[in-house]
Amino acid sequence: MSIPLRTALATAAGFGAFGSAGSYYYLKSSHKEPLSTPVKEDVPKYHDQHAFQLLSKDEISKRLRSGQFATKPQINHVKAVYTNRLPSNNPVEDNYSINTFQQGLIAGVYDGHIGPECSKLIKDQLPIYMARELNKSSLSEKETEQAISTAFVELDQDIQQRFYNLFPKNLKKTNEEDIKAAIARQPDQKATQAIIDEAINGSCALTVYLKDDVVYSSNTGDSRVVIVSQDEEGNWKGRRLVEEESPARPEWKAHMIAQHPPNESDVIVKRNRIFGLIAVGGSFGDIMYKVPVEYQMKVFPYLPYDTYKRFARYHHRIVVNYRTPPYLESKPLVSRHKLQKGDRFIILGTDGLWDELSWDDCRSREGDQVAAEIMSRWKTQGEMNPATHLTRQALLYDAVYKNVKVKEPVENEELELSKRLTRQPSRSFRDDITITVIELDVDQNDTEPVLTEVGPIQQVEELDASVPRLFDPKKQNQSWFSGSWSKL
């Protein structure tokens, strides 16, 4: 197509005018003085769009130390016990316990999920259940392991049984009104709601029982206990005392699948989670993974709204795969370790700690050794409480650009800790972190621990083994629904 003469002339004129102007600008600008070198701005190496509040050094320390305290139990081979809890969930779902029993130490950390009610319950009750089982004369080491395991199992049985006792025994002919009426007729509504929440919420549990020179470690779920030792050459080593019950661990995944018929093997563990939902392979509570099949549709949808809504959005994904319960249990993995020369610390930590110390896989053993190396620098980096020291350094370990998947050393600690402590919603960036560090005195060097700037010094309570169970199995047939409700 030919170009109109008017258009061609206009275009040529434009180029001419542009060329003249361009020539003038070039000649004029070429006589300017050379520009000075621009000042380089101090900007982050990698862009991260997540908002945060820049904290001062004092504000950072205040937040990190807000949950720290120490205890000094009079137990052989124990100098002191230090704890710190750094919340992320609101309310915080982690809990802890430190008690003595018959010249032994019982310490635990409890990682709750869905809500805090279950972890709150077991931090008070599990040490008592353990004391009750241990309160027998002349237990062998093997019998001691079995006693601890029994305590874990019986506590979860009682949590479940209190829940079942709220409802009719025979659910075949019940409806929504029956379930709501069963809850409404309970004399103490606050206690009833607590029983429901403690069963619906879940919690992992990790305990250490230290008696004389033997450490019994028990683990339900994915928390972790590591013993830190130092050899004669000064090398530090971290070693896991008991494995984790996690569907991400191949051995435990195989164990879980083996408990059910082969035709369920493809649905039990998906993406290293039970039914693709929950990332633990053992827990207290979590009753939606343990109840008889009929409870799924006959009871759960008619629980109080504030309770059911916590898992309603994914309940259908449980129901469609739910055939041969239970899919979770509280029976722990138990091990024992005889203290040796060079053993310095025992670290109990919820998975929020190990998530920080293992970049690629929080189930790997890499974090065990990292924890030992961090503990080797305790008191040289500003924190007197070793649990707080471990918390601070874990947040800084390979964490600079974790959210943009870049692994580099920390250059500005205040900047990075500000990010880790203030981003919202916090749970999208890190978990609750709860740590208890037992400082050992295996070598009997008689040096007293320096308990200054470690937080409040708390007294340790001796456990009372005579406290009754939450539910008395002997009263099973005397429950309120054994009359007319049982005929439904």
Side-chain angles (χ1 to χ4, degrees), residues 55 108 112 166 185 197 201 251 287 337 385:
L55 303 176
L166 298 175
R185 68 176 61 205
D197 288 340
N201 292 183
E251 297 84 355
I287 201 167
H337 167 78
N385 186 312

Side-chain angles (χ1 to χ4, degrees), residues 340-376:
Q340 302 171 2
K341 181 180 179 180
D343 287 345
R344 296 286 182 257
F345 306 101
I346 299 173
I347 301 170
L348 295 82
T350 56
D351 69 337
L353 169 64
W354 310 108
D355 288 345
E356 302 296 338
L357 297 184
S358 302
W359 179 277
D360 298 314
D361 179 9
C362 65
R363 306 277 77 80
S364 75
R365 296 182 181 277
E366 174 188 334
D368 304 2
Q369 182 59 28
V370 173
E373 293 167 359
I374 290 174
M375 289 304 301
S376 72

Side-chain angles (χ1 to χ4, degrees), residues 21 35-36 41 51 56 87 99 129 133 163 176 181 201 215 225 268 319 322 340 343 363 388 390 407 429 432 463 486:
L35 296 175
S36 59
E41 295 183 12
S56 68
N99 299 96
Y129 274 64
E133 294 300 317
F163 179 85
E176 178 179 357
N201 292 183
V215 181
V225 55
I268 293 175
V319 172
Y322 203 83
Q340 302 171 2
D343 287 345
R363 306 277 77 80
T388 307
L390 192 50
K407 181 178 180 180
F429 301 99
D432 296 335
L463 293 166
S486 64

Side-chain angles (χ1 to χ4, degrees), residues 290-302:
K290 302 173 181 179
V291 293
V293 174
E294 58 268 24
Y295 272 73
Q296 293 291 351
M297 296 309 295
K298 285 285 190 176
V299 174
F300 287 151
Y302 310 128

Side-chain angles (χ1 to χ4, degrees), residues 308-324:
Y308 183 58
K309 73 177 183 181
R310 295 184 180 184
F311 66 98
R313 68 184 184 280
Y314 57 82
H315 185 209
H316 66 284
R317 295 170 62 185
I318 299 176
V319 172
V320 72
N321 296 306
Y322 203 83
R323 303 170 192 171
T324 56

Side-chain angles (χ1 to χ4, degrees), residues 81-95:
V81 182
Y82 308 85
T83 297
N84 195 345
R85 180 175 66 176
L86 182 67
S88 181
N89 292 288
N90 186 17
V92 60
E93 295 178 339
D94 278 9
N95 270 291

Side-chain angles (χ1 to χ4, degrees), residues 267-282:
V267 300
I268 293 175
V269 178
K270 295 181 178 180
R271 301 183 300 280
N272 292 331
R273 295 170 176 263
I274 308 303
F275 302 147
L277 297 172
I278 187 170
V280 300

